[in-house]
């Protein structure tokens, strides 16, 4: 079987800026988005909407 080549997309994790909770992994296009992602998402630990910042996925 041939492996899928995603091209310029990499997998990153999102981390809550308040409690440090890691959200599920997401994909980012490196060619279009050079800077780190910052998204407003709902954190189930904090039980409110907070800013999630991009972090590397530890393996």
């Amino acid at each position: 079987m041939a492996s899928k080549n995603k091209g310029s997309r990499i997998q990153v994790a999102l981390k809550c800026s308040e409690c440090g909770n890691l959200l599920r992994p997401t994909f980012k296009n490196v060619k279009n988005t050079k800077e780190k992602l910052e998204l407003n998402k709902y954190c189930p630990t904090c039980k409110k909407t907070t800013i999630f910042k991009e972090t590397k996925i530890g393996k």
Side-chain angles (χ1 to χ4, degrees):
M1 286 198 153
S3 64
K4 277 190 174 180
N5 186 4
K6 298 275 184 178
S8 61
R9 299 187 74 78
I10 61 168
Q11 193 174 21
V12 296
L14 297 176
K15 185 176 184 178
C16 179
S17 60
E18 294 198 15
C19 68
N21 184 30
L22 284 177
L23 205 60
R24 65 184 177 274
T26 186
F27 290 94
K28 164 183 142 172
N29 190 331
V30 180
K31 288 184 180 178
N32 295 339
T33 312
K34 303 275 186 208
E35 62 278 352
K36 290 192 171 196
L37 287 178
E38 284 190 4
L39 301 173
N40 284 324
K41 293 239 173 220
Y42 178 78
C43 179
T45 307
C46 299
K47 296 184 180 171
K48 61 182 178 178
T49 303
T50 59
I51 297 175
F52 278 79
K53 295 182 181 180
E54 171 189 336
T55 59
K56 289 184 179 179
I57 296 177
K59 289 187 177 181

